[in-house]
Amino acid sequence: MACSRLRTLINRYCAGEENWVDNRTIYVGHREPPPGAEAYIPQRYPDNRIVSSKYTFWNFVPKNLFEQFRRIANFYFLIIFLVQLIIDTPTSPVTSGLPLFFVITVTAIKQGYEDWLRHKADNAMNQCPVHFIQHGKLVRKQSHKLRVGDIVMVKENETFPCDLILLSSSRADGTCFVTTASLDGESSHKTYHAVQDTKAFQSEQDIDTLHATIECEQPQPDLYKFVGRINVYHDRNEPVARPLGSENVLLRGASLKNTEKIVGVAIYTGMETKMALNYQSKSQKRSAVEKSMNVFLIVYLCILISKSLINTALKYVWQSEQSHDQPWYNQKTESERKRNVFITAFTDFLAFMVLFNYIIPVSMYVTVEMQKFLGSYFLTWDEEMFDEETGEGPVVNTSDLNEELGQVEYVFTDKTGTLTENNMEFIECCIEGHVYVPHIICNGQILNDCAGIDMIDSSPGGSGKDREELFFRALCLCHTVQVKEDDNVDGLKEAQLSGKSSVYISSSPDEVALVEGIQRLGYTYLRLKDNFMEILNRENDVERFELLEILSFDSVRRRMSVIVKSAKGEIFLFCKGADSSIFPRVTEGKIEQIRSRVERNAVEGLRTLCVAYKKFTYEEYETVQKQLQEAKLALRDREKKLAEAYEQIERGLTLLGATAVEDRLQEKAADTIEALQKAGIKVWVLTGDKMETAAAACYACKLFRRNTQILELTTKKIEEQSLHDVLFELSKTILRHSGSLTRDTFSGLSAEMQDYGLIIDGAALSLIMKPREDGSSGNYREIFLEICRNCSAVLCCRMAPLQKAQIVKLIKWSKEHPITLAIGDGANDVSMILEAHVGIGVIGKEGRQAARNSDYAIPKFKHLKKMLLVHGHFYYVRISELVQYFFYKNVCFIFPQFLYQFFCGFSQQPLYDTAYLTLYNISFTSLPILLYSLMEQHVSSDTLNRDPSLYRDVAKNAYLHWSVFIYWTFLGVFDAVVFFFGAYFLFESSTVTSNGQSNPGPSREALQGTAVERRE
């Protein structure tokens, strides 16, 4: 055993896996490995209990109070309340304590109720029954008792209780079908594979004889990435090691479909499952209005301190005369005379702070939260934003950013599935220079099946015919499409095959369109069975290919490959991918003719893919297999090693042809972009598509107009000139026509639309963001931003997901700090959605990851127009007037108290009764403005929809500028003076006669309070 242990350590070190703490070892069924294998070291892991709640019964009060008093206003009123308790103050502690208690209590009840609902949901999930296999028997237990290493049986339509490695399935080929709608929103059936060496273990007794260990990475939240390996022990022989990837992992929350049952081993449980890690809280976004509120609070706090200091100083000036300091009716005691003057002055200062503290609106935060929460329902109730086709309406994931919808200056949008429908239709394919179009119309007749249009020369013959068949076979074999024999699955398209209905299912609409398009050209993909792919050729003969390897697609490589073996023993690698990914790797074929057709289709806005192949000898394949196996078994840097292996394998290809698929624009996408531009919002398109395809889509949706002068900042340009020269040439072009690079058009709110459109690709962006040799990167970024300032629209193509977030961050943190909005529908858009001030997810066909991670979700891109121009406008106007009014009404209320001190010898005498002080903020003045801020429509919604330029009126936080804030403050001071002196003169003339007798009539404080309330 010692030798085996030493050998294992040497292997791990040589494989670069010395940091073994990053991995975990799981003993399947908690069974020790056979004698002679590694030492059995049981490890402790968390149970399968899910906890989404924030509080427990014991920590609710202290934890909730701590969180609430982190707010500056709440903490301030707590200090004031304590001061009132400690020293002799002019007002009762009730006047501060009761409003504070009301605010804290309401918030605590709201948060407590929400947490109780989370506890209830957690208990329902943790107590659901799960079937375990223990000692060869099936045992039923509650979900929270499940542990890492337990073997679990899941039946059809049940959800997986934790993250499992698939050991076996009721299907003979060891596969199972799964839907992950609760994780990423994708309703299509995905195929997962059992480990080759364990798929034969079907019964409970067979499972009980399994001896295996799993070595895998520690939990991480990426749903689509998993690195591990399983060691299966057969008697006393060396274990058989097999790689484990995401295709072997069944995630908690996913559901088993069209499979009777599966058996799996738990690898991550409870809060370590990928679902739990993905649902942890995201970073908090704060709106511009909230930031303005905090700044205004600090200003009013300074005003409060100033008023207290002024009154304290004036009190001692007043008391400098003996008759004022000790009048005959209020002589000081001996202890008061001996008291330290500084302590007395500080006590007086605190007393004035207490007297004037109501200038800080204690209930503003609660009222604002209620306004946002209740106001968000107007968005979800909007019937015009409901999509009948999908049955979906707008979703509000957070109401904290409602008003930010009225402040957007930049919109960053994805193209595929956002501007376009992501409903792919196969248009044509080009093979060796010949174009093939399904169902082409020729001489007024529709030619079914296939038809070739000769683009270069006559129809192919000889070797050309062989290449044609290879191309069709490549498209029938190089994909991840599943075949479901059913009348209808999730509304997907049906294909007629030999009298049967076959439904093609894939997470990628492109692949379904290609397989269906090739079917119309004579080659039909039948199924994958026992690792053999079957296709039906034009002669109705079934061809079988053994699937040897899959080189999976990823957004970096932008291609995928399969290695298959024909019935004749020939081994082929078929590869399909983006033209920029394929052309550098091909050495043979009619490259220029196919490139010309690809460029032509791209200009027409079609999505293009290139197809190539490579033939292996048996010896070459053995080398490739060994290379892939070593990379797949690596636990450390597996992705890097696989990428290197793929790079070496996918070289020296022969180009076969290209395909063209159409993705139509969404309904009213062009009208929406035009309206946003009229509203002064700049629209950028960030896409992974090639430049020509994306540019054609931008023209179609009116982002670029025919008179727009296009500026290119692409890799091709940089290869011809240096990056420095290209940037300065573009800046000179704009300077020549615009007059100045420094003028403020960055926000896009200028009335004059610029005639420039910029196109930049991912490689050029990397060079701009890359630090220069002298360590500075700011110069290029600044020049790039200056160019963007003077462009009406920008197209960023060939963008990786992280580059999309980089672009958003670059604009977001520029010196003008514009408000940004990102909108997308796919998982590759999540990074930019999280980065932007406001993230919008489109509920589309690429899954719901974007919608789940967004602040708001909408069914279609066209709904963005009303969301911003109408709802965003209303939200901002309402909340800004609510905030300004809160400060105004408190000035009206407290400034008379300040004036009153001049008439009472600065004795800290309160002007108002305790009831007025207590209820003014929490009742008298909060409810009316709350209703106003929910219902106010200063302009009709139809007018806002019809005239997008009205959006400019509220842009750049227009209603909360310093000038507007000062106006409201001085208006409050003016009204307070009117209230005070109006009541004062009424008091002088009619309330009390010269002999001291009072006439019946309202008291001064009643008049004062009534005047304030009527003004409100």
Side-chain angles (χ1 to χ4, degrees), residues 67-68 71 74 103 106-108 110-111 114 284 290 293 363-377 399-400 402-403 879 882-883 886 930 933-934:
E67 290 177 351
Q68 291 205 56
R71 276 186 166 169
N74 291 346
V103 170
V106 169
T107 305
K110 171 180 172 288
Q111 294 179 350
E114 291 174 348
Q284 187 72 22
E290 186 177 349
M293 283 170 50
S363 61
M364 181 173 66
Y365 280 117
V366 172
T367 308
V368 166
E369 281 189 4
M370 291 177 65
Q371 192 274 345
K372 289 182 177 182
F373 174 72
L374 296 174
S376 65
Y377 283 98
S399 59
D400 293 339
N402 289 348
E403 64 276 10
I879 199 73
L882 170 66
V883 171
F886 254 91
L930 175 60
S933 65
L934 288 172

Side-chain angles (χ1 to χ4, degrees), residues 165-198:
I165 290 293
L166 179 58
L167 296 178
S168 65
S169 164
S170 58
R171 298 172 64 92
D173 58 358
T175 61
C176 70
F177 294 102
V178 171
T179 58
T180 57
S182 61
L183 297 173
D184 57 14
E186 296 181 10
S187 57
S188 59
H189 292 57
K190 299 178 181 177
T191 305
Y192 289 81
H193 302 270
V195 180
Q196 193 70 19
D197 294 82
T198 63

